[in-house]
Amino acid sequence: MRRISRITVAGAATASLALALSACGGTSTSSDSDGSKSDKGLAIAYDVGGRGDQSFNDAAYAGLQRAEKEFGYKTADVEPTEGETDADKEQRLASLAKQGYNPVIGVGYAYAAAVKGAAEKYPDTTFGIVDDSTVEMDNVADLVFAEEEASYLAGVAAAETTKTDVVGFIGGVDIPLIHKFRAGFEQGVKDTDPGVKVVSQFLTQTAEEGGFSSPDKGKAAAEGQIEKKADVIYTAAGLSGQGAIEAAAANKVWAIGVDSDQYAQEALAKYKGSILTSATKDVAKSVYKLAQSVEDKAPRTGILRGDLSTGEVGLANSNPVFADNAKLQDVIETAKKKIVSGDIKVQSS
C-alpha cells in the first residue's frame, strides 16, 4: 500500500494549496502565509512510498528542507494517491507551477510523462525529475546517478565481509533502474572474490504491485535468502528494504542499505547494529543544487549526473564496525580510485 496523504495547514494560503491539490495528491508540508508567488520556491512531488520511506523520498525531502532554510522561502511536498495515472501526476505538477513554485521536481522515474506535459504548459518554470534522463526540454533537469558505481563498492564490501561465501541482492521492481544496482553489486562481488555466490531476486514486476512500498515483501525475500546461507543482503527497494533490514537483524546477518545512510535513520535505530553500510546517492544534494541554481537565476537543465567522481554516490561510514575496519576500507578505496580513473568499467545492466 502507498502511504496515506498527510495535510498540514499553516494559514489560509496553505489551505488553498491543499484544496487545489486534493484531486491529485495531498500536501505533506507547506509554509505559505500570504499567497504571493514571489516568495515560493522548491516543490517536490513524491511517487511510491512517499515521505517516511527512510530512503529515496526522505533524501529528496532533506534537500527541500535545506533549500527552505537557506533561501527563506515557501516550499511544498506532495504525496501520491492510490492508483493514480500520468494525468494525475501532471495535474499535480502543473498545479504547483501555476501557484508559483519554482523549481518543481517529480521524485522518481514514473514522473517522466507528467514532467514533460507540465513543462510544456509552464515553460518559464524549471522542472526536475529524479532517476530519469528521457525528458529533453529546455526547462527540465534530469537528475540521475551512477547507482551501479556505489553498488559495485557495496559488492566489494559484501564479498570482503561474508563468512558463508553467499550474499544476497533484493531489487524492488524488475526495471532498468534497479538492474543498475544489481549489475554493479554482482560485478563488485565477483571482481573481489569469484568464489562468493550472489543470490538475486526482484520483489515485483511493476511498482503498482508494491515492490517499493511493502516491507513485508522485503522481509520475506530476505528470510528466503538467509535460508540459502546469505549473510550479507543488499536491498534496493525503497520502503520494502526496511523489512529486509528487520530480517537481517533478527537473523544476525548483515544488511546493506540504499539511497540514504540507513544506519543513521531514526526509524531503523533498533536495527542499525546490523546495517553494515549503505550505498548512497545524494538525492538531497541534487535537489538542493537545482533549487540553488533557480535562486541564482541560472537554472541548471539537461542531464545532471552524480557519480563517484562528484561525490554524489558512495558508501556511508556511519557504522564504526565498517568505518574502523582498515583492511576493508583500503580495499574499497582502491576500487573507488580504479572506477574514477576508468581502470574499472562498472556495468549498468
Side-chain angles (χ1 to χ4, degrees):
M1 294 290 291
R2 294 182 182 175
R3 293 175 57 82
I4 298 172
S5 298
R6 302 176 297 276
I7 301 179
T8 300
V9 178
T14 301
S16 297
L17 174 62
L19 180 62
L21 293 172
S22 62
C24 55
T27 53
S28 294
T29 62
S30 178
S31 53
D32 198 5
S33 60
D34 60 13
S36 64
K37 291 187 177 184
S38 62
D39 64 352
K40 289 180 178 176
L42 173 63
I44 60 177
Y46 305 114
D47 194 45
V48 176
R51 180 149 62 91
D53 67 350
Q54 313 302 321
S55 183
F56 178 73
N57 287 303
D58 280 3
Y61 180 64
L64 178 141
Q65 287 182 301
R66 180 181 174 188
E68 182 178 53
K69 180 179 179 180
E70 293 192 18
F71 305 138
Y73 55 32
K74 311 303 184 291
T75 62
D77 65 310
V78 188
E79 295 282 3
T81 56
E82 188 70 34
E84 66 186 20
T85 65
D86 286 342
D88 295 326
K89 290 183 174 69
E90 182 178 331
Q91 182 184 356
R92 177 180 305 130
L93 300 181
S95 178
L96 290 165
K98 182 179 181 180
Q99 293 171 74
Y101 288 97
N102 188 21
V104 176
I105 300 176
V107 183
Y109 67 91
Y111 272 95
V115 166
K116 185 176 185 298
E120 288 174 347
K121 294 176 181 176
Y122 294 92
D124 294 331
T125 298
T126 298
F127 289 84
I129 180 168
V130 180
D131 279 351
D132 183 87
S133 60
T134 64
V135 185
E136 300 179 9
M137 299 178 65
D138 291 342
N139 62 327
V140 175
D142 298 317
L143 310 178
V144 296
F145 302 86
E147 292 94 350
E148 69 278 9
E149 293 182 355
S151 296
Y152 183 100
L153 298 184
V156 173
E160 286 287 323
T161 302
T162 181
K163 304 299 183 185
T164 63
D165 287 341
V166 181
V167 301
F169 171 80
I170 299 172
V173 181
D174 188 359
I175 54 173
L177 173 64
I178 305 304
H179 294 173
K180 293 171 67 180
F181 288 90
R182 176 183 176 178
F185 181 73
E186 291 182 344
Q187 185 182 349
V189 171
K190 294 303 180 185
D191 284 358
T192 304
D193 187 345
V196 175
K197 179 182 179 181
V198 182
V199 180
S200 295
Q201 71 184 94
F202 296 98
L203 298 179
T204 64
Q205 293 298 305
T206 67
E208 289 73 21
E209 296 171 278
F212 291 133
S213 56
S214 304
D216 59 325
K217 294 182 187 296
K219 182 178 181 180
E223 289 172 340
Q225 293 189 346
I226 292 166
E227 288 180 1
K228 296 176 181 178
K229 306 303 182 185
D231 62 350
V232 185
I233 298 175
Y234 174 41
T235 308
L239 186 64
S240 299
Q242 292 190 32
I245 291 171
E246 180 184 352
N251 289 275
K252 295 179 169 46
V253 302
W254 287 112
I256 295 178
V258 74
D259 292 340
S260 298
D261 179 2
Q262 297 196 298
Y263 181 90
Q265 293 285 350
E266 184 177 348
L268 298 173
K270 65 172 135 179
Y271 309 124
K272 71 178 186 179
S274 297
I275 302 174
L276 181 67
T277 181
S278 296
T280 62
K281 60 182 185 183
D282 204 339
V283 175
K285 182 178 180 180
S286 185
V287 165
Y288 168 79
K289 284 169 64 176
L290 181 58
Q292 183 181 46
S293 73
V294 173
E295 185 73 2
D296 292 342
K297 313 290 188 197
R300 303 171 79 220
T301 58
I303 296 176
L304 306 176
R305 185 172 183 266
D307 57 20
L308 283 177
S309 67
T310 69
E312 289 175 70
V313 303
L315 291 185
N317 275 330
S318 295
N319 189 338
V321 174
F322 176 74
D324 296 342
N325 186 328
K327 179 178 180 293
L328 177 56
Q329 292 296 324
D330 285 346
V331 173
I332 290 171
E333 185 62 26
T334 297
K336 178 180 177 180
K337 288 179 179 178
K338 288 183 177 181
I339 292 171
V340 173
S341 70
D343 290 341
I344 293 177
K345 306 290 186 184
V346 184
Q347 300 169 6
S348 59
S349 63

